[in-house]
Amino acid sequence: MEEMLLLPMPRKINIKKAICMMPEKPMFFISGIDQNIDFFSDFIKQITKKYTGKIWKQTDALNNAFLSVVCEPSCGVDEQGYCLTISEKFITIKGSEPSGVYYGLCTLNQILMQKGKNLPILEIQDHPDFKRRGVMIDISRSKVPKMETLYHLIDLLSSWKINEFQLYTEHTFAYKGHEIVWKDKSPITSEEIKSLDEFCKKRFVDLVPNQNSFGHFSRWLQYPQYKHLAEDPDRPSTLCPIDPRSIELLDDLYSQFLPNFTSKYFNVGCDETSLGKRSADAIKEKGEGRVYLEFLLKIYQLTKKYGKTMQFWGDIVQRHPELIPELPKDVIVLEWGYVSEHPFAQRCKKIEEAGLPFYVCPGTSSWNSIAGITENCLANLINAAENGLRTGALGFLNTDWGDYGHWQYLPVSYVGFAFGAAVSWCLRKNFNKDIEKQIGLFAFDDKDFNTGYLAYELGRVATAPGVYTSNASPLFISIREDLETVDFTSLLRNAGLINAQNQIKKAMSYLKKVKINSSEGILVKEEFKNAARLLNHACKRGFLMLERYETEKAFPKNALMSLLKDAEEIIKTHKKLWLKRNRP
């Protein structure tokens, strides 16, 4: 059997050594696609011309078709699944619903990408482990992508069979009457959401609205107009759950936000709340969990008012497991955890026993890292998929955050996006595959895979210092914290910094060999180059810190000036690269 590289690897594939005989003028036939047929037709023409050099024409006669694409509910293929057959004289893709047919075409695209006109004879039977396979990106920690960036990312994710997409929002939607909150934040507009929603639907991606609605509200509560709604006015981060005006504000936001989406779902957030100030008496009487739940149920009623099924982060109810059975049976609990050893098994079991639908929500480990944390990323995603499958999770939502200013470049997250797509589609066939090669080819269009090796290895710099820091790289911390006042001797050692420098050199050795065929090739190289430079800068800071703590002498002025010059050049490049993909 010939090895075939696909992303995700399918559930069942049988490949023979023989080659399909492609006709001189191939034609294709589409049946059973009532809506979106123009998209299917254009997609087939695009991928066949690109990889075979031939112009394939559509025909109304099945007998004339070299490629037949058939959607038939009674064909016996599982939900969202497909059967792809390449025989000696024709290609057939069958599915019981349009999304499955589309996924079959995505697989054919990846085969064409590698084999061109020399297609192997094969049969693939495939369907997903998780019904919902999503990606959520953070657009509230400074970085709001341009529309073309979002279109490109959704195209990429849908080609890997991702079918849900969320934009984590705190304050970066252009709400009318609340301009002070977003006026300098490059917000997403109603028109842009509607356009994005339509783009997603064509690719069978559900664009789910996401607006944090309880905690993480400091971007609003910092202003005098909203501070009266804070649970703690001195540390305004959480809405006061006992103030009826909190729900009135959310009602206003939902009325403007939700009509732009066709999805029936809505992620209301509600994670990491901090209670105990204005609601202290209520907590003393009822308990903190009860006060949280009562406000959550008010939000639930609001979501029902707008015809949505509520998703919410499950961290707070996990602290009060006795309340989980009181949750409405139609809410979706989002069980999140971003470290490799997160207790998905125990926590998912509690939700399963309560009879509630839920997602497992791991992460890409890109944030707080500069270039990712490869080992933690892969282990976290496998942990979530294994325990989500074992306990009957409805979905798998892969999260990509931007804590402390969103320093990581988008391609850094491709390792997590790709591996998450693979293990959420079929864990059994994907957990031990060569993700470096899959990323290199299908994320970067690098047929020698060097960009995949580069991304993978640069993400291993985070653990090279040999010190474990939960959900963060010690090198990131060494830059973020103050050079003169913070003791880093517990985080860094000279030997660990040398290891990190060597790992940076190893990763960047692939950059010289990188050949990216896509239009973003030059940009990707520059992004990885500046990420490596920032990691090296972190090492330089680390050596300087350790020397100061060992000798108890002041920092040498020339060393500080050298660091400053290096930082200024990195920042200048970072600004230029930021604006290539993102709004100011």
Side-chain angles (χ1 to χ4, degrees):
M1 180 186 293
E2 180 184 355
E3 181 66 23
M4 176 71 70
L5 192 65
L6 297 170
L7 178 63
M9 287 299 297
R11 190 169 302 274
K12 186 177 180 181
I13 180 169
N14 182 22
I15 307 173
K16 298 180 180 179
K17 290 185 177 180
I19 300 296
C20 174
M21 301 300 293
M22 186 177 297
E24 189 61 33
K25 296 181 179 180
M27 304 185 79
F28 65 91
F29 171 81
I30 302 176
S31 173
I33 306 292
D34 298 324
Q35 297 179 339
N36 213 16
I37 189 167
D38 289 342
F39 172 77
F40 274 83
S41 179
D42 290 343
F43 184 62
I44 292 169
K45 291 175 182 176
Q46 175 189 337
I47 65 174
T48 53
K49 182 180 180 181
K50 182 175 182 180
Y51 296 120
T52 70
K54 297 176 181 286
I55 297 175
W56 295 32
K57 293 185 178 180
Q58 189 169 354
T59 177
D60 293 329
L62 175 60
N63 291 339
N64 295 333
F66 173 61
L67 166 64
S68 59
V69 177
V70 179
C71 180
E72 174 54 60
S74 61
C75 71
V77 177
D78 289 337
E79 184 179 3
Q80 296 187 45
Y82 64 93
C83 179
L84 167 60
T85 302
I86 302 178
S87 68
E88 290 183 0
K89 295 184 178 181
F90 58 82
I91 304 170
T92 303
I93 296 173
K94 291 182 180 179
S96 60
E97 55 188 40
S99 63
V101 174
Y102 173 66
Y103 297 143
L105 283 170
C106 289
T107 299
L108 177 61
N109 178 37
Q110 293 184 356
I111 296 171
L112 287 166
M113 188 177 184
Q114 297 169 81
K115 304 298 182 182
K117 292 182 284 189
N118 301 313
L119 296 175
I121 292 175
L122 58 75
E123 183 175 5
I124 295 174
Q125 295 178 351
D126 207 7
H127 65 269
D129 284 341
F130 291 91
K131 183 177 180 180
R132 309 275 300 182
R133 304 169 303 281
V135 163
M136 187 219 76
I137 66 168
D138 186 348
I139 65 165
S140 293
R141 268 59 168 242
S142 308
K143 186 178 284 184
V144 183
K146 293 178 180 178
M147 290 301 288
E148 53 264 39
T149 301
L150 292 172
Y151 291 141
H152 171 75
L153 180 58
I154 290 162
D155 249 341
L156 194 62
L157 295 173
S158 74
S159 76
W160 303 338
K161 305 177 177 61
I162 291 295
N163 67 354
E164 180 171 341
F165 190 67
Q166 299 189 19
L167 300 170
Y168 172 76
T169 306
E170 293 176 5
H171 65 299
T172 46
F173 178 78
Y175 289 107
K176 293 179 181 176
H178 304 285
E179 287 77 8
I180 191 171
V181 176
W182 53 260
K183 66 177 181 177
D184 298 320
K185 310 300 188 299
S186 307
I188 299 278
T189 67
S190 293
E191 292 72 22
E192 288 172 331
I193 288 293
K194 290 173 183 175
S195 174
L196 197 64
D197 189 85
E198 186 63 29
F199 187 87
C200 284
K201 279 197 300 182
K202 288 181 178 179
R203 291 152 181 81
F204 302 95
V205 175
D206 190 14
L207 181 64
V208 173
N210 180 314
Q211 169 62 63
N212 217 331
S213 306
F214 196 171
H216 290 284
F217 227 77
S218 59
R219 306 280 191 153
W220 292 77
L221 300 176
Q222 64 180 312
Y223 296 104
Q225 294 92 322
Y226 306 97
K227 201 169 186 178
H228 63 282
L229 298 177
E231 166 70 3
D232 183 351
D234 296 325
R235 302 177 67 185
S237 65
T238 300
L239 282 172
C240 179
I242 62 171
D243 191 328
R245 295 171 296 179
S246 295
I247 283 291
E248 291 173 8
L249 172 62
L250 293 178
D251 195 3
D252 179 23
L253 302 188
Y254 294 0
S255 71
Q256 297 186 48
F257 191 53
L258 295 178
N260 303 295
F261 299 83
T262 56
S263 176
K264 71 175 185 178
Y265 299 100
F266 176 30
N267 185 349
V268 299
C270 300
D271 61 318
E272 298 184 324
T273 51
S274 179
L275 303 179
K277 191 73 176 224
R278 289 176 61 191
S279 60
D281 291 342
I283 289 173
K284 186 175 181 180
E285 177 189 349
K286 305 175 184 179
E288 185 175 340
R290 177 69 55 187
V291 171
Y292 175 90
L293 179 63
E294 288 179 354
F295 189 63
L296 186 71
L297 292 176
K298 291 177 183 177
I299 295 173
Y300 167 77
Q301 291 301 327
L302 263 189
T303 64
K304 300 296 284 185
K305 172 183 173 181
Y306 291 102
K308 302 295 185 183
T309 296
M310 186 176 90
Q311 301 177 347
F312 76 102
W313 304 116
D315 55 314
I316 305 300
V317 295
Q318 287 284 1
R319 295 183 202 166
H320 308 279
E322 72 282 359
L323 300 178
I324 293 178
E326 296 186 40
L327 290 166
K329 297 303 181 186
D330 60 342
V331 301
I332 297 175
V333 184
L334 304 176
E335 173 52 41
W336 63 269
Y338 310 132
V339 293
S340 59
E341 68 275 17
H342 180 76
F344 279 113
Q346 302 93 304
R347 295 193 177 192
C348 291
K349 191 67 177 174
K350 292 178 188 175
I351 307 169
E352 180 196 21
E353 289 172 349
L356 295 166
F358 66 97
Y359 285 19
V360 285
C361 305
T364 61
S365 301
S366 63
W367 63 99
N368 295 349
S369 72
I370 303 171
I373 311 175
T374 298
E375 293 93 336
N376 184 78
C377 169
L378 304 187
N380 179 229
L381 293 166
I382 290 174
N383 179 10
E386 283 180 339
N387 289 291
L389 276 176
R390 189 175 294 124
T391 51
L394 169 66
F396 180 106
L397 183 63
N398 193 2
T399 58
D400 192 61
W401 298 97
D403 297 30
Y404 299 104
H406 219 138
W407 292 6
Q408 75 274 19
Y409 300 112
L410 181 62
V412 167
S413 301
Y414 287 177
V415 175
F417 288 155
F419 194 67
V423 297
S424 62
W425 179 265
C426 184
L427 174 63
R428 182 171 57 88
K429 289 290 187 177
N430 287 279
F431 76 94
N432 62 348
K433 285 298 173 183
D434 294 328
I435 190 63
E436 306 100 309
K437 293 182 178 180
Q438 291 171 308
I439 300 163
L441 185 56
F442 300 123
F444 299 111
D445 199 4
D446 180 350
K447 291 180 171 57
D448 296 321
F449 317 125
N450 287 307
T451 320
Y453 290 118
L454 167 60
Y456 185 96
E457 293 295 341
L458 202 61
R460 296 184 65 213
V461 175
T463 48
V467 178
Y468 177 79
T469 50
S470 180
N471 204 29
S473 158
L475 295 177
F476 178 89
I477 295 170
S478 76
I479 297 180
R480 184 170 61 82
E481 297 296 340
D482 185 72
L483 184 68
E484 303 218 11
T485 60
V486 179
D487 182 356
F488 285 91
T489 53
S490 62
L491 275 181
L492 300 172
R493 298 284 188 278
N494 281 317
L497 291 171
I498 292 170
N499 287 340
Q501 288 182 323
N502 289 335
Q503 181 61 30
I504 295 168
K505 290 178 182 177
K506 178 182 178 181
M508 296 309 287
S509 68
Y510 291 103
L511 185 67
K512 301 171 185 176
K513 300 179 280 187
V514 161
K515 295 178 182 177
I516 301 174
N517 297 311
S518 68
S519 59
E520 64 169 9
I522 295 174
L523 175 58
V524 169
K525 289 182 182 180
E526 290 302 312
E527 287 170 324
F528 279 121
K529 192 183 297 184
N530 210 46
R533 186 168 185 181
L534 189 52
L535 288 168
N536 270 315
H537 181 81
C539 292
K540 294 174 187 176
R541 281 176 62 98
F543 283 125
L544 200 59
M545 291 169 182
L546 292 174
E547 182 182 351
R548 180 172 184 259
Y549 280 103
E550 288 171 3
T551 63
E552 297 184 351
K553 295 180 181 179
F555 289 115
K557 187 174 181 180
N558 62 337
L560 289 176
M561 292 306 296
S562 176
L563 270 183
L564 178 61
K565 183 180 179 182
D566 191 38
E568 286 174 342
E569 291 176 358
I570 292 169
I571 290 167
K572 182 180 178 180
T573 302
H574 184 68
K575 180 177 181 179
K576 180 182 70 174
L577 295 174
W578 177 293
L579 294 173
K580 293 286 186 180
R581 297 188 192 268
N582 309 290
R583 306 172 196 213

